[in-house]
Amino acid sequence: MGMSGITNIAPEEHKESELLNADHTQASAAAELPIDELGKPGSPENIRDRMERIREVGRENAYKRGVNEVSDDPVIFVDPDKLDGKTPAELGQQLSEILDDFHPDAKASLLETMNSDPSSPRTYTIDDIAENLSTLGPSALPEVITIDGETHGLAIVPNNDLDTKEELVHAFLDDRFFNEDQVKAIVDNMPGSDREWMRIVGNHEGEHMNTGRLYRDTIETLQNEAVADEVAIETANARNDGDVADAFEDLRALSADQLDVEHSTGALLHSGDQASIVHAEVAESYLDIMMDIVDNDPSVLISSDYAQDVLENDPEQFFAIINNHIETETAKTLAAYQADPTSNEAIGNAVVLQTFTNYANDFEGAYRRRALGQEDFPKSEPTQLVPQDVETAYHEFANKEARIEQELTEIEFEANQEFKTGEHFNSFDWESYEGDATVSYQLYMKDPEAYYAHVENVLDDIQEDLVKAYNEDPSYENAENLIKLEAIYQQQFSNRDYKLGPTLDGEVRSEAPDLISDEATRAHIEERIAREDYVPDPNDPKASTTTVTYEKVDPNARGPFDPKPVEHEAQQAKPTESANDPVQSPPAPAENTPQNPGTQQGTPEPVEDQLLQQDLDRSYTPGVDGTAYTTQVNGLETGEPNVDFDNGVTVGGMSMGSVFEQSANPDPENVTMVNAKVDTAPEVDPALLAAQQQLPEMNTQTLGR
């Protein structure tokens, strides 16, 4: 046993020797407690504190025993109550001490594992990890530490607010559906001691140690939670804790929570189904649907009665209404299915209804046994409205469609991250523009029609290039570019319609174009999924050559949604985008500049660098500490602004134009520059312009970045 809140016990020690029976646990716990925690004898308060601490350690050891008797890997335990620092740095120091006490290499291994995902947008520090662990309830992080080639899991011990049966029940139940009287009744009808409940929770987390580290989505997580519950229930039954196992299953049936769908495993435990998107969607909504059914039933005559009141005060009426509704819907749904058993809609309706019925029946049985004390109320048989093979095929179909929809959403998100609107206003015709806006965010606020007209022109230019490329070569990359461009059109036109408001009678605004067929889009997404899921066969000698590889992207290369180069003569006609433009991202400083020296003293700067530096000088000068600039904006309540070269000025990921709209006191003119100043645009050196005309075409394009 280690120190500082960490314990490592190999699973074999628990499985072979059964170290911890209840009496030995408490005696050992008392013997191990420091004197200052036991208190001094003589006062009732100290005696009570001493006994409570002994009970607390007994509950903690029961949880550890439960984890170790199921986990195939050795487990390191972290007590979140030991992570009580006031700052992330203090928490990180505490976790570092815990890990160092186990093994000098444990911290480095944990950091390597937590930062092993190349797609992660950030690098996690030990402070970040400690801050997260300090907030967790009982949980498992499988395979996160490797020492001398052996993987270890990290298990979080229940904290002092979640280590008794009563506290667990409170945590599981949604207070939208259960008041304190109902919760008390449920607790009173839950058999077993606190230690027995901690042990079955430990069994659940121990199984998580065996199922891998990363769950891709809600469906996979829900299935893994159901498997962990099944193993915990089987393990408890094997040690003659069947009453606790049944109560644990009932608690799952009662604990629907819209914010925690992945743990709504009740119907899966009873029916034995594999989790699908249907289960996830029904688990998220079935209790709300049940409440709506009762609220809208004509037999609930008193207007002040809500479904929750009926459940508490007249549960027989509540469940009669639900069961009558299910019976009526079942007759209609089966009639539609029998009329056309090949109809995907009819099959889907039947599968959804039978899934809802299973969740509703399990809820009724659990409520009667636990809230009403009807302990002999039997478990219902799983509902089966269509043949099992038909149901299985529909779940597979629904999961595939959900994955495609998820993938399309990710593509749309990527697209709108890649298209940085403000960067495209260097090509705006400021010379011909007759309004008083001089930068893009002013144009957005003062003349949004002109703003979005320019955005549409930019997108149309990009469209011409990308459609041509796709028609010449319908490759994976060219198809994805068109799908992304469609998403950018849709987002920009949606923003436009929101900003401009309803159209006048007869006014017609352009709509997002269809650039690629639905069939081609679906085929592309299916290929994208196949690439993401591809796992080479270790027995295939060609596997190393068939894996999907990605070429390193040149950060200076122009992407399909980056602005095209702009001739400098056009830029000098009117002040260019300045550093206080919230939707414009200025280019990074050139390597050879006074602020960022790159050439030797006396060496002439290349013409390209002089031209680029002159462009930069029109917009801003770097701050005294080497940063480009920072910003403060009055009237914001949504968060601190962030400024960088890639995204311009954003708050919470939103462009400044959107932030101004959503601010409590928007003031687009009041942008205070800190640690930087905006310069007046100097005259362009004619000699440099003449030299520019002599540059090769490739270098001219480079200057536009």
Side-chain angles (χ1 to χ4, degrees):
M1 180 168 288
M3 298 170 59
S4 304
I6 193 166
T7 306
N8 178 55
I9 306 174
E12 291 77 8
E13 295 179 36
H14 277 299
K15 291 174 181 176
E16 293 175 5
S17 60
E18 292 292 330
L19 293 176
L20 301 173
N21 60 52
D23 294 335
H24 180 69
T25 296
Q26 292 197 358
S28 299
E32 293 175 5
L33 288 174
I35 293 297
D36 60 343
E37 291 196 41
L38 290 173
K40 296 179 180 179
S43 72
E45 291 79 8
N46 284 337
I47 293 174
R48 283 195 296 269
D49 290 344
R50 174 192 177 103
M51 294 309 299
E52 176 51 37
R53 179 60 180 141
I54 292 172
R55 286 191 290 268
E56 180 183 316
V57 174
R59 296 191 294 266
E60 181 177 310
N61 283 338
Y63 171 81
K64 294 175 181 177
R65 182 185 187 186
V67 172
N68 277 310
E69 66 188 343
V70 172
S71 174
D72 293 334
D73 284 341
V75 179
I76 303 167
F77 292 93
V78 174
D79 183 352
D81 290 326
K82 303 293 185 183
L83 300 177
D84 57 359
K86 303 301 182 184
T87 67
E90 291 177 2
L91 291 168
Q93 180 61 32
Q94 290 171 333
L95 180 59
S96 296
E97 292 172 0
I98 289 173
L99 296 173
D100 289 344
D101 184 63
F102 170 71
H103 193 281
D105 297 332
K107 173 182 171 182
S109 178
L110 178 63
L111 285 169
E112 180 180 359
T113 301
M114 300 307 286
N115 290 298
S116 60
D117 182 1
S119 65
S120 176
R122 61 177 296 186
T123 299
Y124 294 97
T125 67
I126 198 66
D127 298 351
D128 299 326
I129 298 171
E131 190 172 18
N132 181 266
L133 295 185
S134 69
T135 66
L136 295 180
S139 50
L141 284 74
E143 303 173 0
V144 291
I145 293 176
T146 302
I147 303 295
D148 297 330
E150 184 178 38
T151 59
H152 297 68
L154 199 67
I156 310 305
V157 175
N159 60 39
N160 288 339
D161 296 326
L162 204 61
D163 64 349
T164 68
K165 175 176 66 177
E166 181 175 357
E167 289 167 348
L168 276 174
V169 172
H170 273 274
F172 272 66
L173 299 182
D174 189 334
D175 57 12
R176 294 180 303 141
F177 305 118
F178 304 99
N179 61 32
E180 283 302 313
D181 290 338
Q182 290 167 301
V183 173
K184 183 179 184 305
I186 292 170
V187 171
D188 290 344
N189 287 302
M190 289 290 185
S193 66
D194 292 337
R195 291 192 307 279
E196 289 169 328
W197 276 85
M198 287 298 101
R199 189 172 177 183
I200 195 172
V201 171
N203 293 153
H204 172 97
E205 300 303 339
E207 176 58 21
H208 280 317
M209 296 293 179
N210 304 329
T211 54
R213 187 163 54 87
L214 297 177
Y215 302 153
R216 184 181 60 228
D217 52 30
T218 298
I219 301 169
E220 191 172 336
T221 305
L222 180 60
Q223 179 62 34
N224 278 282
E225 290 298 335
V227 170
D229 281 350
E230 289 167 356
V231 170
I233 290 168
E234 291 170 1
T235 306
N237 279 320
R239 62 172 176 263
N240 296 320
D241 280 347
D243 56 345
V244 176
D246 289 342
F248 181 81
E249 185 174 348
D250 279 348
L251 186 56
R252 284 300 201 202
L254 293 170
S255 62
D257 186 344
Q258 289 178 319
L259 301 179
D260 191 19
V261 177
E262 291 91 345
H263 287 88
S264 295
T265 60
L268 291 171
L269 300 177
H270 194 191
S271 67
D273 289 340
Q274 285 286 113
S276 79
I277 188 63
V278 175
H279 293 98
E281 291 179 348
V282 172
E284 182 179 21
S285 59
Y286 78 92
L287 264 182
D288 287 295
I289 292 173
M290 291 171 68
M291 297 298 169
D292 288 342
I293 291 169
V294 174
D295 277 333
N296 295 317
D297 191 273
S299 67
V300 182
L301 300 177
I302 303 175
S303 60
S304 61
D305 277 350
Y306 292 99
Q308 290 89 334
D309 298 328
V310 180
L311 178 62
E312 180 184 14
N313 299 319
D314 194 349
E316 296 300 332
Q317 182 189 21
F318 182 95
F319 291 118
I321 292 172
I322 297 298
N323 292 329
N324 288 338
H325 179 86
I326 290 174
E327 184 177 344
T328 301
E329 291 300 314
T330 298
K332 293 191 296 185
T333 301
L334 281 178
Y337 170 70
Q338 291 163 359
D340 186 1
T342 63
S343 165
N344 209 45
E345 180 180 1
I347 295 171
N349 289 339
V351 172
V352 170
L353 179 59
Q354 77 176 39
T355 305
F356 171 78
T357 302
N358 285 334
Y359 272 98
N361 287 345
D362 287 349
F363 178 86
E364 177 181 0
Y367 190 87
R368 287 183 180 278
R369 286 186 290 271
R370 306 306 164 189
L372 303 181
Q374 300 172 10
E375 58 184 37
D376 295 328
F377 190 85
K379 294 183 178 181
S380 62
E381 291 298 319
T383 303
Q384 194 73 47
L385 300 183
V386 297
Q388 184 61 55
D389 60 334
V390 174
E391 177 192 351
T392 300
Y394 183 81
H395 283 309
E396 292 173 354
F397 163 79
N399 284 350
K400 181 177 181 180
E401 293 302 303
R403 179 76 186 280
I404 288 174
E405 187 65 30
Q406 173 188 335
E407 204 70 27
L408 183 58
T409 299
E410 291 178 5
I411 291 176
E412 292 169 349
F413 177 80
E414 292 169 8
N416 286 290
Q417 290 290 303
E418 293 173 23
F419 182 76
K420 300 175 178 64
T421 313
E423 291 185 356
H424 291 272
F425 276 82
N426 276 341
S427 62
F428 185 77
D429 188 0
W430 293 107
E431 183 177 15
S432 301
Y433 176 64
E434 297 180 353
D436 58 356
T438 59
V439 289
S440 61
Y441 87 82
Q442 291 179 348
L443 190 66
Y444 172 82
M445 298 302 297
K446 297 179 178 182
D447 194 349
E449 290 194 16
Y451 178 93
Y452 281 109
H454 178 71
V455 170
E456 184 173 355
N457 288 335
V458 168
L459 294 179
D460 289 345
D461 286 343
I462 295 174
Q463 174 187 335
E464 183 177 350
D465 293 341
L466 297 188
V467 169
K468 179 182 178 182
Y470 179 77
N471 289 337
E472 293 175 353
D473 177 16
S475 65
Y476 178 89
E477 290 75 15
N478 289 339
E480 180 143 316
N481 286 339
L482 282 188
I483 296 170
K484 287 183 174 180
L485 183 57
E486 275 192 5
I488 295 168
Y489 264 111
Q490 290 165 358
Q491 183 63 56
Q492 292 294 329
F493 284 7
S494 175
N495 293 346
R496 174 201 64 189
D497 294 343
Y498 175 80
K499 178 65 176 175
L500 298 181
T503 62
L504 301 175
D505 291 341
E507 182 182 358
V508 178
R509 291 180 186 151
S510 52
E511 297 181 353
D514 294 324
L515 303 178
I516 185 170
S517 69
D518 292 343
E519 294 78 13
T521 298
R522 185 181 182 89
H524 174 81
I525 294 175
E526 288 176 347
E527 181 180 351
R528 179 174 159 127
I529 291 172
R531 291 186 178 204
E532 291 177 353
D533 293 349
Y534 176 77
V535 177
D537 182 355
N539 299 317
D540 180 3
K542 297 181 180 180
S544 61
T545 63
T546 55
T547 55
V548 178
T549 59
Y550 298 91
E551 294 183 3
K552 186 175 181 180
V553 178
D554 180 359
N556 297 315
R558 193 175 74 85
F561 308 111
D562 289 337
K564 293 182 178 180
V566 178
E567 293 297 327
H568 288 273
E569 293 90 341
Q571 291 186 11
Q572 70 172 355
K574 196 160 186 176
T576 61
E577 303 293 302
S578 62
N580 65 343
D581 177 15
V583 290
Q584 174 61 30
S585 178
E591 291 185 1
N592 301 302
T593 70
Q595 292 83 7
N596 190 10
T599 57
Q600 295 180 357
Q601 187 72 22
T603 303
E605 293 178 324
V607 172
E608 299 97 319
D609 290 338
Q610 294 181 54
L611 286 169
L612 181 55
Q613 182 57 39
Q614 193 161 33
D615 287 344
L616 293 173
D617 288 341
R618 295 174 187 161
S619 298
Y620 75 97
T621 55
V624 294
D625 64 355
T627 59
Y629 52 81
T630 54
T631 189
Q632 294 175 338
V633 182
N634 289 352
L636 292 183
E637 291 186 353
T638 55
E640 290 298 319
N642 178 66
V643 185
D644 60 45
F645 287 121
D646 290 331
N647 301 313
V649 183
T650 59
V651 177
M654 294 189 298
S655 69
M656 191 58 71
S658 298
V659 170
F660 282 133
E661 278 196 327
Q662 299 179 28
S663 298
N665 181 27
D667 184 2
E669 301 296 340
N670 197 349
V671 180
T672 304
M673 301 306 297
V674 179
N675 194 30
K677 66 178 185 293
V678 178
D679 288 342
T680 303
E683 292 295 326
V684 178
D685 186 340
L688 286 176
L689 282 179
Q692 181 187 13
Q693 307 304 319
Q694 307 299 320
L695 293 174
E697 182 178 356
M698 183 177 296
N699 287 340
T700 304
Q701 291 178 348
T702 304
L703 288 174
R705 287 287 293 158

